[in-house]
Amino acid sequence: MQGPLPESPSDDAAHVPVLIHAILKECAPISGVWLDGTLGAGGYARAFLDAGAARVIGVDRDPLALDMAKGWAAPYGDRLSLVQGTFSDLDTLAGKALDGVVLDLGVSSMQLDQATRGFSFMRDGPLDMRMSQSGPSAADLVNTAEESVLADVLYHYGEERASRRIAHAIVAARALEPITTTLRLAEIVSKCLPRPKPGQSHPATRSFQAIRIAVNTEFAELAEGLAAAERALKPGGLLAVVTFHSLEDRIVKRFLQLASGLESNANRYAPARADTAARFDLVTRKAVAPDEAEVARNPRARSAKLRVGRRTALPAMTISAADLGLPEIRQKGRR
Ligand SMILES: C[S@@+](CC[C@H](N)C(=O)[O-])C[C@H]1O[C@@H](n2cnc3c(N)ncnc32)[C@H](O)[C@@H]1O
């Protein structure tokens, strides 16, 4: 099983758009109106504009990405519009049929490298992890969630086998004093796990990934974003998605398989689906991974996978979260 993405100790990778050459190749020729649902530092948006898109709508839930765009957007004039929002709403945000949608999932290097955002177990900062800089933070989750919920989050969103032990240690630690910083959480997690051997990832990698996914409701966002893209794309329009760990890739793979009529639903107890007609055709039969040169240049690209589908003319449908294989975790007071 592919592991979670390690944190890179260097800033070199900061503005290298992952798999961009592969995306442009699979989506060629680039034309019409594209929506980049994960603007970040704008690497994809710029590449699409430079490659021939008439317009790009750049969406990010993080106000920082929109602020940063002021520094590079001017030369593109009204070919680029910037919107703060989530890609689960991308059809509403676009307001018109699209020629392409591109999603580059997860956190940006900018977010990871800023200690004050609280995403990193390598830099001390407030236990925050909110991409949108609003709503409940990682500290809220870690200090208030029931032990069983914490364990489920760690297990289902981080594939952490020591989930119950870590959840128990978190609850014991917070009974003494609230857990408010990244390094304090990393220390609690690390004490529950064997010391890593050289070359192994930091013991807190899986737990930080899991908590970040929960705080930002990343899987629900992804399922809703894929459905919104299906509604927004013109016949012939392209959907390109880059994932960074196996849990995300599984959701995208299942979505494209079901929407292209290649697989019956995931729930073997449910009646067979009648809707096997394709709403997407697969452009990439298998996921595209970065080559060795790209991984050498940008270690954060190591686990990236690209999948591309082309919309057909059939009406959009919604695939249930269960059929996409989304783990269901009941969190009090959260959707
Ligand atoms: C990996 S970075 C994208 C990097 C970008 N492709 C580039 O070349 O600079 C992911 C970005 O997507 C944003 N993001 C993640 N989930 C989102 C969502 N559901 N809706 C909107 N933006 C999201 C994050 O805030 C982050 O800025």
Side-chain angles (χ1 to χ4, degrees):
M1 189 181 296
Q2 178 188 303
L5 186 69
E7 286 190 22
S8 162
S10 87
D11 284 356
D12 297 343
H15 299 298
V16 183
V18 172
L19 278 169
I20 189 62
H21 297 299
I23 296 174
L24 295 177
K25 182 169 159 244
E26 298 293 345
C27 298
I30 308 288
S31 64
V33 181
W34 277 75
L35 183 141
D36 176 354
T38 52
L39 181 72
Y44 283 15
R46 273 178 278 188
F48 275 83
L49 286 162
D50 294 343
R55 246 188 90 204
V56 169
I57 304 165
V59 177
D60 205 292
R61 70 201 302 189
D62 188 345
L64 173 72
L66 283 303
D67 267 2
M68 300 269 299
K70 290 179 194 148
W72 58 263
Y76 296 104
D78 59 10
R79 291 177 62 212
L80 174 68
S81 35
L82 300 168
V83 187
Q84 191 189 338
T86 53
F87 58 62
S88 52
D89 287 330
L90 72 85
D91 54 338
T92 314
L93 297 176
K96 58 185 292 197
L98 297 167
D99 296 279
V101 170
V102 64
L103 302 176
D104 179 16
L105 302 178
V107 272
S108 67
S109 297
M110 289 187 303
Q111 291 164 330
L112 200 52
D113 292 338
Q114 273 193 2
T116 52
R117 301 299 301 274
F119 288 104
S120 174
F121 47 75
M122 310 241 290
R123 298 167 176 79
D124 202 14
L127 194 53
D128 189 316
M129 300 198 199
R130 296 169 299 174
M131 292 184 194
S132 64
Q133 303 188 29
S134 63
S137 68
D140 293 325
L141 177 68
V142 162
N143 288 296
T144 63
E146 287 170 29
E147 186 173 327
S148 62
V149 171
L150 282 174
D152 284 351
V153 164
L154 297 171
Y155 183 76
H156 290 294
Y157 296 168
E159 299 182 309
E160 174 53 74
R161 278 187 285 176
S163 56
R164 308 231 163 263
R165 203 181 321 145
I166 295 170
H168 191 71
I170 288 174
V171 170
R174 78 187 188 194
L176 302 175
E177 191 182 19
I179 302 163
T180 56
T181 66
T182 50
L183 288 194
R184 175 72 185 124
L185 179 62
E187 179 191 37
I188 294 165
V189 173
S190 299
K191 281 189 180 157
C192 296
L193 294 167
R195 194 185 290 272
K197 299 196 179 89
Q200 283 185 332
S201 56
H202 189 289
T205 307
R206 287 181 297 278
S207 295
F208 270 60
Q209 172 186 296
I211 292 166
R212 191 202 82 206
I213 288 172
V215 166
N216 295 287
T217 57
E218 288 181 40
F219 290 159
E221 267 297 313
L222 177 55
E224 289 168 29
L226 296 170
E230 182 174 327
R231 291 191 296 271
L233 284 167
K234 290 178 185 168
L238 289 161
L239 170 63
V241 188
V242 173
T243 60
F244 283 88
H245 53 78
S246 52
L247 296 167
E248 283 174 343
D249 182 57
R250 213 174 297 158
I251 295 170
V252 177
K253 180 179 175 185
R254 209 168 270 182
F255 171 83
L256 284 174
Q257 280 181 333
L258 286 169
S260 62
L262 288 179
E263 198 190 81
S264 60
N265 52 347
N267 180 354
R268 63 199 163 105
Y269 301 108
R273 299 170 75 99
D275 54 301
T276 47
R279 280 120 50 217
F280 278 92
D281 292 325
L282 297 187
V283 174
T284 52
R285 292 252 141 221
K286 291 174 102 182
V288 178
D291 58 22
E292 281 175 23
E294 177 165 2
V295 176
R297 266 197 323 273
N298 179 7
R300 283 178 185 172
R302 185 175 63 86
S303 341
K305 282 188 177 173
L306 165 68
R307 294 184 188 271
V308 182
R310 185 185 297 280
R311 188 75 174 88
T312 68
L314 288 187
M317 290 183 52
T318 301
I319 302 173
S320 73
D323 279 350
L324 286 177
L326 258 66
E328 199 189 336
I329 295 176
R330 291 185 201 289
Q331 295 179 58
K332 271 190 193 160
R334 285 163 178 266
R335 65 182 181 113

